[in-house]
Amino acid sequence: MTRHDVGTEAAAGAGAPSDIAVAVDRLVTAGLKSLADYESLTQEQVDHIVKKASVAALDQHTALARLAVEETGRGVFVTVVAHRQPVYRDQPEDVSVRWGYGLFPGRAGNQTPKPMTMCSGREVLEEVLHHFPFDERTAARILETSTVVPCVMPYITSQFLARRRDDRPRVVPEGSVNLAFIGQFAEVPDDVVFTVEYSVRTAWTAVARLLKLDRHPPEVYKGHHDPRVLASALETMHRR
């Protein structure tokens, strides 16, 4: 429902603005004021705000996703990855490769009323297409020209399961003098799992802190704050 729809609905009622319309107006007004306030902030202040907002959103990402599903009645918590092609060295020019993860594979879909783990590749694709705004002709063409291979990979996808901030232990827990956790399931602020670097960083951190060494791992590189990196990424995305 758009803001215009809300206003129309209110006008068609008793004539007074509905609670929803009033709430939307307040949010829009507050948003415009915040936008004006941002103009006076330094880049350092903006970076600080963005970091705090992203951490807060990450902390509540599962709850937010659930609210979205409950409110719309759509969704099975699936992520779809669309990398720049080709993904593989010998990949034919007329073939595109995509993959996705289902974080709640035991949940029934909206289009296919059974758990993802019980679906064929075609049924998984039908469910995914159901959530995209494709017309029937495009969806049918994608179905007929695609091959979907379902895989259950509990060891790798366990790294991406929905969790809370404190579900994973710090590399060196507070107060520990001879115990540390290393690997993909130890918590490293600002870093991302699924890389060799993550595991190496946990081991390096454990040794440096427990042995009280002066040499610690370098800080996690935050390229998304560097305009040159963003410009390069944009150019790469549009490279043909």
Side-chain angles (χ1 to χ4, degrees), residues 31 33 39 72 107 134 139 148 150 156 160 192 211:
K33 182 180 183 302
E39 298 295 333
T72 64
R107 180 190 179 101
F134 293 127
V148 180
I156 185 59
F160 305 118
V192 181
L211 298 182

Side-chain angles (χ1 to χ4, degrees), residues 60-138:
Q60 299 296 323
H61 71 285
T62 301
L64 292 172
R66 289 187 184 280
L67 286 173
V69 171
E70 291 171 0
E71 183 174 329
T72 64
R74 301 171 66 89
V76 288
F77 302 99
V78 175
T79 62
V80 178
V81 181
H83 281 301
R84 177 175 175 269
Q85 305 297 317
V87 175
Y88 303 105
R89 183 179 62 182
D90 299 325
Q91 181 177 323
E93 292 186 2
D94 60 343
V95 172
S96 296
V97 176
R98 307 283 188 268
W99 66 81
Y101 296 97
L103 297 183
F104 293 88
R107 180 190 179 101
N110 298 104
Q111 176 70 14
T112 308
K114 57 182 179 180
M116 186 178 293
T117 51
M118 303 296 293
C119 291
S120 64
R122 184 181 179 90
E123 289 172 330
V124 171
L125 183 56
E126 287 175 344
E127 178 65 33
V128 171
L129 291 175
H130 175 70
H131 297 281
F132 284 95
F134 293 127
D135 56 58
E136 292 185 6
R137 182 177 179 182
T138 301

Side-chain angles (χ1 to χ4, degrees), residues 32-51:
L32 292 174
K33 182 180 183 302
S34 297
L35 182 60
D37 292 341
Y38 259 74
E39 298 295 333
S40 63
L41 299 180
T42 65
Q43 185 61 52
E44 183 178 3
Q45 290 173 316
V46 172
D47 288 345
H48 176 75
I49 292 173
V50 170
K51 179 178 180 180

Side-chain angles (χ1 to χ4, degrees), residues 204-223:
W204 188 347
T205 299
V207 172
R209 291 186 181 177
L210 292 180
L211 298 182
K212 303 185 184 306
L213 304 180
D214 293 332
R215 188 180 180 187
H216 290 265
E219 292 186 2
V220 176
Y221 175 59
K222 301 175 183 177

Side-chain angles (χ1 to χ4, degrees), residues 119-184:
C119 291
S120 64
R122 184 181 179 90
E123 289 172 330
V124 171
L125 183 56
E126 287 175 344
E127 178 65 33
V128 171
L129 291 175
H130 175 70
H131 297 281
F132 284 95
F134 293 127
D135 56 58
E136 292 185 6
R137 182 177 179 182
T138 301
R141 178 174 59 81
I142 294 174
L143 279 171
E144 293 304 318
T145 59
S146 300
T147 300
V148 180
V149 182
C151 299
V152 178
M153 303 182 294
Y155 291 108
I156 185 59
T157 54
S158 61
Q159 297 181 25
F160 305 118
L161 290 177
R163 61 186 179 87
R164 295 183 300 274
R165 173 177 297 278
D166 297 325
D167 283 352
R168 293 177 178 176
R170 292 279 179 158
V171 174
V172 179
E174 184 177 355
S176 175
V177 296
N178 59 4
L179 172 69
F181 297 91
I182 64 174
Q184 299 290 315

